[in-house]
């Protein structure tokens, strides 16, 4: 009996997806982009792309979905995609953020990956709107040569397309690429294209059909250090006695061109601009205000080269690794700090508590390949649930800390490929009875009491066998 | 007073403690305070630096402790360590005293069980202070046993802050001595207690104390020789008793059996010359007991005398023969060099340079006695005087312990540590007895004065007493003055100890601190910078060669394999490293390659003025290397009997590997204002060889203050390949071939083709030809030849299969 059911299900599914794709293709066919402008910022190792699309509904039915497409190589390195739309007229414009969700399309040419932008108001036939899209790419600049000596500067490749990859017809488009310096070894020419200063302009190109692609390769100097945190584990421990303890374990690597041959300290010290220009000398971490008891250490002890600057709005921790990081060099370290609990812990109306804390890595201009956030709730807290603005993997763990009997619930969240743009807030909700706070002091007090009682008893009892 | 309600005064009375209870309360609170004081005075380094492991050996202990926590006891016991003594390795479980690690892990497990989220490092750092606190308790009970509770309290206070002990027990000095001094004193205390009581329980406890000592430190040899010596003295002085017999026999037999459980010690108790005294005394005890019994049975003294003579001669003869046979057959090993060097201070200097090279093995200077003991140094003889005045089994023990350990303390700086408890105890007897005598004097007077005043008009008795008292007016004043003097001295002692602890003994020696120009504190963290670099940026299996001092640190912090380390069991291996360091680079590279070394690490203080660097240690490398390999001759490095690094230095010195590695590119460096470049601040001279060129090694890493410099050993060159690696075309290098091409034209038959062929050997046949063509086109030498013909000839000469008609492209 089972087989026919399954067959029917499968048939239903196929029908459904067919219907779906027809819907899709209808919206695909009727939209077109009248004007597109793309600005690619290559000044750091995180590639920032600003895309301005003027979308026009040339079809007859209103639609509220706009598709973005990416070549598969880029999609793998895509850290975040945001879409904004301007609202209001003239001076009173406000930017409204739109929902963006990754989408699978069955008939994608060359495995192109899609994101769907959901417009707030459906675009009626004949209307047009302007969408601003911002997306960030990590690991997209490939060092070439892959190995450099200390005195050489770091050259990288950046690959993209001169034409914007889009499922829609684009009437007019232009791409501007900003390089970190004027030193550009070479770039692919797709006429009309020209270079002025630190900017390379491709376009304007007119009337390109959907999925037009014209690969370009730019070879330029980028001496900004490629700070990549391969793995970061952030542990946030809540103590209802008034402290929030944060411990962050980093595995930092310089992902730029690998260092080759000699490291000469005398050159590095005497001519710092010429020698080791791409080396990573220090990092800046932006911590919340009112941070206290900050430490910076690694497996073998404290690292003395760090500075903390605090003011009422933020705290800045400048950390230097034990040694300057050249391409391919690694360093692991731990940063820890305490925060006043009242800044981050709040109560909801239904008597639940929630922690409101930033998700991402506090280091500036740093890519995190894998981030694990652990929120250690106080002993005795129940029903934890986390609210994160982007999809993460979640599970629960138990941790034993000072004087714990049943252990503390740990909410673990994992995410891959993060950029500083992910530093948004997340919330962890839980219920907690304040009486549990007294458990540990009472336990200690009773232990001491028992000890003294035992002492008194010992002094008053005669244990000798012989009288 | 009278208006006070009776009930209240009753209540007050009920709260009032009896004198005995008061005394107990005061004693317990003093002990508690001393316990805490002993702990916190050792925390200077934690407060000033951080909670970290100090110096050299503690890093090995820390590493093994980590291994023990991670892998459990059995793995630890069977651990073969591949990371040290490459390529030999080290059987760690069988070559260490596990007491310290097991203790730390036990404390760690207990704390973890009680849910204290501590790291094993914190436990290790605080183990020594914790045991120092425990030692003060033992010192109290020991003092109480040999003199009285007052002396015990003073002993506890003295030992709590005595610099001689603090030097090895500050927080972070995670070394065997930290727990061993506790074990040593505990064993002695319990043994003396056993001798005093004749109790089997106490002597069992002393056997276990001894076992703990054996498991913790090689210094147990001191116990196992001091106790028989003490027993012998008691026998000679006619103090033999049943108590002594029980205490000694039980302690020896059980202690020996337990000690055999420690793998590193094994059967040494019955096989080694150092342990024979205790066995001899054991048999002597049996003979004594037997004689005693015979004496008891025989009523005739004359007969007994004859019997005594025969038995003693027989016993001595049998003992002597057994010892002789054992020695000859090799069953009993002779005394080791270390033991000899204890008995004869000059022995190490002549025979074992590796022992002599360690600063803590030098004979003690008077100043360090003063530094470590301060007033105890002259309280010690006074205490001896009191001990001799009140001789008992216990005081005889402490006198013997004091005298022997003082002798050893004179032989080696390091052994001041062993003498410290004895010195503290004997000094405590002096202080306690003096103060007691003085206060007794004072109090007896006060009583008289009091009684006189209260009774008002005194009878004839009291007036006569007053007269008697007035006859010694100086006595009272003198006593007060002496008391003040004593307290002044003791307070000086306390300030001295605190000062020494904070200034001299609380530096981790991994992190160096100095005062900057503006009085700010400058920290040189170069060691950890280098070790962490090694840990993160070198291949996992990289082998690092350095002088043996840094071996433990490199394995513990850098997590890399080392050639030699601080466990100096293999003199030849260390000498090989010393030889490599003191040879020319060409010779050294052969040794380095034979040891499969990837990195060479040197410590250099020329930039910072850090004086305990490798150049200052260089004489030991030469001596130890020269001791095994006569190729290294010390006079080659000396100019007028001293090591110099400036222009007047010996040529061998200026070109040996150590010099080159330390001063590589140092000639370009300006270290001090107003001094020429290449001015060595540690030695205060301008270096003699500023143009150091390295051929087989290249600089891999130098720390920010140049204290540690790491060099990478370059892979061997391909035969006659000058720069490029094999398989790559480097037209610049093919000048040799071009030369040859010119020659080929002239003389085809016997052209010296070898260097050229090896150059293009790595290239694929066609590639070789193309590469040659490029070289020819670049026309390095400006020769013009008939390319296609000579090229194919040349290639055929090199046995490369290229089509003979190959023509260079346009």
């Amino acid at each position: 009996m089972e087989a026919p059911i399954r067959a029917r299900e499968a048939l239903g599914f196929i029908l459904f997806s067919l219907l779906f794709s027809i819907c899709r293709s209808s919206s695909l066919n009727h939209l077109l982009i009248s004007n597109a402008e793309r600005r690619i910022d290559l000044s750091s190792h995180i590639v920032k792309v600003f895309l301005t699309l003027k979308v026009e509904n040339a079809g007859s039915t209103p639609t509220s979905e706009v598709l973005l497409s990416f070549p598969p190589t880029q999609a793998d390195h895509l850290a975040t995609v945001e879409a904004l739309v301007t609202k209001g007229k003239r001076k009173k414009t406000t930017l409204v953020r739109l929902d963006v969700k990754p989408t699978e399309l069955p008939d994608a040419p060359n495995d192109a990956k899609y994101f769907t932008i959901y417009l707030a108001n459906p675009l009626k036939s004949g209307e047009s709107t302007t969408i601003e899209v911002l997306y960030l790419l990590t690991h997209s600049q490939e060092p070439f040569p892959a190995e450099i000596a200390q005195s050489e500067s770091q050259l990288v490749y950046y690959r993209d397309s001169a034409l914007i990859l889009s499922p829609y017809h684009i009437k007019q488009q232009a791409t501007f690429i900003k390089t970190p310096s004027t030193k550009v070894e070479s770039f692919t020419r797709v006429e009309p294209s020209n270079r002025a200063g630190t900017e390379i302009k491709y376009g304007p190109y007119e009337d390109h059909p959907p999925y037009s692609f014209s690969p370009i390769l730019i070879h330029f100097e980028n001496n900004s250090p490629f700070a990549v945190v391969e793995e970061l584990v952030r542990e946030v421990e809540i103590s209802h006695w008034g402290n929030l303890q944060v411990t962050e374990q980093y595995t930092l690597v310089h992902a730029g061109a690998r260092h080759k041959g000699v490291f000469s300290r005398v050159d590095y010290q005497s001519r710092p601009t010429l020698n080791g220009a791409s080396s990573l000398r220090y990092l800046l971490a932006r911590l919340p205000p009112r941070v206290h008891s900050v430490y910076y250490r690694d497996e073998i002890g404290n690292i003395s080269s760090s500075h903390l600057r605090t003011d009422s709005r933020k705290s800045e921790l400048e950390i230097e690794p034990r040694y300057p990081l050249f391409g391919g060099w690694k360093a692991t370290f731990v940063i820890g700090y305490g925060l006043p609990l009242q800044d981050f812990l709040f109560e909801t109306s239904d008597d639940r508590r929630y922690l409101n804390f930033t998700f991402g890595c506090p280091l500036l201009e740093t890519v995190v390949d894998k981030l694990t956030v652990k929120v250690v709730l106080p002993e005795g807290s129940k029903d934890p649930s986390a609210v994160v603005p982007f999809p993460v993997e979640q599970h629960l763990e138990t941790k034993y800390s000072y004087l714990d009997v049943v252990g503390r619930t740990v909410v673990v969240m994992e995410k891959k490929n993060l950029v500083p743009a992910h530093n948004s807030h997340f919330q962890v909700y839980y219920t907690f009875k304040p009486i549990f706070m007294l458990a540990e002091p009472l336990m200690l007090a009773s232990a001491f009491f028992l000890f003294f009682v035992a002492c008194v008893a010992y002094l008053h009892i005669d244990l000798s066998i012989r009288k | 007073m009278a208006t006070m309600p009776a009930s209240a005064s009753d209540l007050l009375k009920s709260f009032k403690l009896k004198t005995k209870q008061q005394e107990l309360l005061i004693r317990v609170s003093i002990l508690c305070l001393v316990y805490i004081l002993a702990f916190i005075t050792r925390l200077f380094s934690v407060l000033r630096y951080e909670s970290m492991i100090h110096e050299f050996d503690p890093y090995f202990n820390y590493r093994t402790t980590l291994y023990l926590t991670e892998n459990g006891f059995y793995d630890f016991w069977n651990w073969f360590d591949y990371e040290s003594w490459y390529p030999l390795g080290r059987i760690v479980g069988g070559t260490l005293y596990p007491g310290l690690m097991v203790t730390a892990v036990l404390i760690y497990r207990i704390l973890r069980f009680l849910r204290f989220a501590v790291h094993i490092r914190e436990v290790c750092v605080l183990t020594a202070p914790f045991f120092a606190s425990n030692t003060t308790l033992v010192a109290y009970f020991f003092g109480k046993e040999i003199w009285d509770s007052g002396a015990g309290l003073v002993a506890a206070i003295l030992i709590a802050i005595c610099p001689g002990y603090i030097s090895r027990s500050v927080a972070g000095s995670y070394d065997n001595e930290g727990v061993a001094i506790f074990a040593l004193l505990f064993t002695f205390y319990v043994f003396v207690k056993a001798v005093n009581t004749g109790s089997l329980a106490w002597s069992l406890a002393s056997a276990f104390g001894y076992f703990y000592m054996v498991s913790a430190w090689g210094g147990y040899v001191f116990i196992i020789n001091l106790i028989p010596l003490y027993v012998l003295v008691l026998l000679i002085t006619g103090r033999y008793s049943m108590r002594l017999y029980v205490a000694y026999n039980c302690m020896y037999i059980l202690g020996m059996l337990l000690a055999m459980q420690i793998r590193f010690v094994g059967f040494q108790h019955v096989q080694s010359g150092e342990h024979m005294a205790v066995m001899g005394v054991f048999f002597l005890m049996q003979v004594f007991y037997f004689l005693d019994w015979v004496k008891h049975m025989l009523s005739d003294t004359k007969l007994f005398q004859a019997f005594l003579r025969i038995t003693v001669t027989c016993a001595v003869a049998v003992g002597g023969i057994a010892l002789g046979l054992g020695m000859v057959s090799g069953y009993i090993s002779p005394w080791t060099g270390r033991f000899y060097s204890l008995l004869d201070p000059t022995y190490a200097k002549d025979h074992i340079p590796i022992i002599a090279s360690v600063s803590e093995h030098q004979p003690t200077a008077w100043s360090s006695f003063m530094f470590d003991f301060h007033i105890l140094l002259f309280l010690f003889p006074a205490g001896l005087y009191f001990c001799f005045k009140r001789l008992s089994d216990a005081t005889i023990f402490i006198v013997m312990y004091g005298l022997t350990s003082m002798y050893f303390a004179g032989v080696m700086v390091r052994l001041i540590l062993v003498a410290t408890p004895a010195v503290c105890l004997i000094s405590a007897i002096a202080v306690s007895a003096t103060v007691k005598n003085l206060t007794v004097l004072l109090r007896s007077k006060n009583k008289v004065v009091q009684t006189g005043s209260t009774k008002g008009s005194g009878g004839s008795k009291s007036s006569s007493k007053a007269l008697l008292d007035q006859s010694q007016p100086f006595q009272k004043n003198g006593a007060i003055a002496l008391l003040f003097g004593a307290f002044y001295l003791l307070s000086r002692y306390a300030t001295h100890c605190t000062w020494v602890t904070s200034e001299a003994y609380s530096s981790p020696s991994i992190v160096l601190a100095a005062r900057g120009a503006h009085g700010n504190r400058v920290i040189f963290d170069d060691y950890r910078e280098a070790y962490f670099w090694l840990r993160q940026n070198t291949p996992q299996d990289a082998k690092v060669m350095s002088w043996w001092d840094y071996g433990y640190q490199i394995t513990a912090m850098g997590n890399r394999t080392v050639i030699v380390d601080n466990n100096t069991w293999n003199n030849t291996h260390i000498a090989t490293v010393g030889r490599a360091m003191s040879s020319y680079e060409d010779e050294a590279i052969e040794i380095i390659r034979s040891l499969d070394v990837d990195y060479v690490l040197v410590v250099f203080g020329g930039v910072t003025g850090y004086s305990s660097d490798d150049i200052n240690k260089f004489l030991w490398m030469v001596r130890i290397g020269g001791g095994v390999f006569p190729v290294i001759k010390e006079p080659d490095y000396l100019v007028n009997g001293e090591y110099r690094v400036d222009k007047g230095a010996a040529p061998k010195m200026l070109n040996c590997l150590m010099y080159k590695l330390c001063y590589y590119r140092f000639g370009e460096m300006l270290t001090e204002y107003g001094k020429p470049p290449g001015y060595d601040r540690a030695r205060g001279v301008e270096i003699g060889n500023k143009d150091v060129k390295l051929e087989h090694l290249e600089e891999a890493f130098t720390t920010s203050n140049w204290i540690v410099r790491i060099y990478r050993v370059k892979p061997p060159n391909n035969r006659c390949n000058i720069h490029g690696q094999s398989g790559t075309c480097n037209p610049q290098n093919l000048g040799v071939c071009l030369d040859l091409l010119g020659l080929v034209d002239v003389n085809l038959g016997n052209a010296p083709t070898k260097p050229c062929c090896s150059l293009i050997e790595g290239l694929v046949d066609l590639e070789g030809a193309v590469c040659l063509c490029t070289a020819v086109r670049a026309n390095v030498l400006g020769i013009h030849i008939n390319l296609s013909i000579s090229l194919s000839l040349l290639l055929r000469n090199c046995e490369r299969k290229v089509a003979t008609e190959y023509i260079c492209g346009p």
Side-chain angles (χ1 to χ4, degrees), chain A residues 265 302 330 332 403-404, chain B residues 50 115 536-537 665 702 704:
Chain A
R265 180 65 74 167
N302 182 49
K330 275 186 181 180
T332 54
L403 300 173
D404 285 353
Chain B
E50 59 182 280
R115 295 266 189 271
Q536 297 285 344
N537 301 311
R665 297 197 69 182
T702 299
S704 45

Side-chain angles (χ1 to χ4, degrees), chain B residues 268-522:
Chain B
Q268 279 186 36
H269 276 76
V270 288
Q271 285 188 337
S272 121
E274 286 135 44
H275 301 73
M276 280 303 118
V278 65
M279 192 186 270
V281 170
F282 172 71
F283 287 120
L284 200 66
M285 282 290 259
Q286 311 314 316
V287 173
F288 240 81
Y289 184 74
F290 178 65
L291 287 175
D292 227 31
W293 179 70
V294 171
K295 192 180 177 185
H296 181 71
M297 301 299 269
L298 288 176
S299 45
D300 189 355
T301 42
K302 215 171 181 185
L303 208 64
F304 176 70
Q305 287 292 330
F307 182 73
L308 182 72
R309 221 170 293 136
I310 293 165
T311 329
V312 167
T313 359
C314 282
V316 169
V318 166
I321 289 167
L323 195 67
L325 279 178
M327 288 283 204
V328 168
S329 63
Y331 183 72
I332 297 171
S333 64
W335 288 352
T336 58
R338 277 166 199 268
F339 201 72
Y340 271 122
S341 64
L342 271 183
L343 300 178
D344 173 13
T346 56
Y347 181 84
K349 213 172 157 191
D350 301 336
H351 296 91
I352 326 170
I354 205 149
I355 290 183
S357 76
V358 181
S359 62
E360 59 183 24
H361 290 163
Q362 306 298 325
T364 317
W366 272 110
S367 59
S368 48
F369 271 118
M370 201 56 209
F371 198 64
D372 278 356
F373 289 141
H374 199 240
I375 60 162
L376 305 186
L377 207 57
F378 56 88
L379 285 176
F380 179 65
L384 285 183
Y385 163 75
F386 281 109
C387 288
F388 276 114
K389 257 184 82 176
R390 205 174 98 181
L391 269 186
S392 68
D393 289 356
T395 48
I396 289 177
F397 181 82
I398 197 69
V399 166
M400 293 205 48
Y401 175 23
L403 290 177
T404 48
S405 63
M406 265 312 229
Y407 169 74
F408 290 127
V411 174
M412 256 191 207
V413 183
R414 187 183 180 182
L415 294 178
I416 283 188
L417 181 73
V418 177
T420 306
V423 171
C424 286
L425 277 164
I426 293 174
S427 307
I429 290 171
V431 172
S432 171
T434 317
V435 171
K436 206 168 193 176
N437 288 348
L438 292 175
T439 43
V440 163
L441 257 169
L442 279 181
R443 279 171 102 187
S444 64
K445 293 245 175 79
N446 287 347
K447 249 181 208 165
V448 173
V449 172
Q450 261 180 15
T451 48
S453 65
T454 45
K455 284 193 176 167
S457 55
S460 59
K461 239 182 188 174
S462 68
S463 65
S464 69
K465 225 176 190 177
L467 264 173
L468 208 142
D469 288 337
Q470 274 162 12
S471 66
Q472 302 160 319
F474 301 132
Q475 207 178 31
K476 189 185 166 187
N477 293 342
I480 291 175
L482 279 175
L483 264 184
F484 271 109
F487 284 122
Y488 174 73
L489 280 179
L490 288 173
S491 63
R492 293 305 304 164
Y493 172 72
T495 42
H496 170 83
C497 291
T498 317
W499 176 77
V500 168
T501 311
S502 113
E503 293 298 313
Y505 291 142
S506 292
S507 157
S509 90
I510 294 284
V511 183
L512 312 165
R515 292 264 162 232
H518 306 289
N520 54 325
R521 196 150 163 265
V522 184

Side-chain angles (χ1 to χ4, degrees), chain A residues 217-360:
Chain A
L217 181 70
I218 302 164
H219 192 202
F220 60 100
E221 182 193 63
N222 188 352
N223 273 330
S224 73
F226 285 24
V228 173
V229 178
E230 287 186 330
E231 195 174 0
L232 168 61
V233 180
R234 299 186 89 197
E235 192 178 271
V236 184
E237 192 167 338
I238 301 168
S239 159
H240 277 260
W241 293 96
N243 190 36
L244 192 72
Q245 183 64 39
V246 185
T247 316
E248 297 169 347
Q249 291 173 20
Y250 291 87
T251 311
L252 183 74
V253 67
H254 187 306
R258 294 182 62 80
H259 179 70
K260 170 177 79 178
V262 174
F263 166 68
S264 166
R265 180 65 74 167
V266 68
D267 288 339
Y268 190 70
Q269 277 171 340
S270 57
R271 291 176 285 276
T273 47
L274 287 176
N275 272 281
S278 64
S279 70
L280 181 64
R281 286 158 209 261
Y282 65 91
L283 289 160
L284 205 61
R286 191 154 291 158
L287 306 178
R290 303 214 283 153
V291 66
H292 64 87
S293 19
V294 180
Y295 64 84
Y296 169 45
R297 58 172 299 135
D298 57 26
E299 291 112 305
I300 61 171
N302 182 49
I303 307 169
S304 47
S305 46
S306 63
H307 306 280
L308 181 68
R309 289 183 290 269
T310 52
D311 59 39
S312 58
R313 289 174 51 241
K314 61 175 189 308
S315 311
E316 272 185 349
L317 178 69
E318 188 189 300
I319 52 175
E320 273 176 53
R322 285 192 189 273
Y323 41 83
L325 287 185
F326 281 85
W329 287 13
K330 275 186 181 180
T332 54
F333 54 89
V334 180
I335 300 176
Y337 46 93
L339 292 165
L341 190 68
Q342 65 264 33
D343 294 4
F344 301 97
L345 195 74
F346 306 97
E347 239 173 292
T348 59
S349 51
D350 59 339
D351 220 29
R352 295 191 80 192
R353 283 148 212 273
Y354 71 95
L355 172 85
N356 188 28
F357 202 67
T358 51
F359 190 82

Side-chain angles (χ1 to χ4, degrees), chain B residues 34-196:
Chain B
V34 170
Y35 194 86
I36 295 166
L37 172 74
F39 192 80
I40 58 174
T41 193
R42 286 163 167 82
L43 299 184
F44 269 110
S45 62
V46 172
L47 298 179
R48 207 164 281 166
Y49 295 89
E50 59 182 280
S51 165
M52 66 184 291
I53 308 288
H54 291 188
E55 302 210 318
F56 304 105
D57 286 17
Y59 268 97
F60 170 74
N61 299 330
Y62 177 56
R63 181 164 160 253
T64 47
T65 312
L66 268 185
Y67 190 89
L68 179 57
T69 36
E70 279 159 16
N71 299 301
F73 186 73
Y74 286 102
D75 272 359
F76 171 71
W77 208 229
N78 295 321
W79 182 19
F80 186 84
D81 179 17
Y82 297 96
E83 284 202 353
S84 57
W85 288 95
Y86 185 84
L88 309 170
R90 176 180 174 187
I91 311 158
V92 173
T95 56
L96 53 47
Y97 294 101
L100 178 73
M101 298 93 199
V102 172
T103 309
V105 170
L106 212 62
I107 296 174
Y108 174 71
R109 292 263 163 86
I110 290 171
L111 287 176
R112 282 308 258 214
F113 177 74
L114 296 175
R115 295 266 189 271
F116 285 95
V118 290
H119 191 267
I120 181 73
R121 185 188 54 245
E122 315 298 336
V123 176
C124 293
V125 165
L126 296 179
T127 299
F130 173 62
F131 272 86
S133 289
N134 295 340
T135 311
T136 61
L137 286 189
V138 178
Y140 163 72
F141 286 110
F142 203 179
K144 197 177 163 194
E145 188 64 33
I146 52 177
W147 201 259
D148 56 15
S149 60
L153 279 182
V154 178
I157 297 166
L158 290 182
I159 205 167
I161 55 171
C162 184
Y165 184 25
I166 283 182
S167 67
R168 285 319 189 102
S169 63
V170 290
S173 131
Y174 179 57
D175 212 346
N176 291 335
E177 289 94 325
V179 298
I181 291 303
F182 165 78
L184 178 93
L185 204 61
F186 179 75
T187 312
F188 282 154
Y189 159 62
V190 182
F191 182 72
V192 168
K193 187 103 184 165
V195 171
N196 276 350

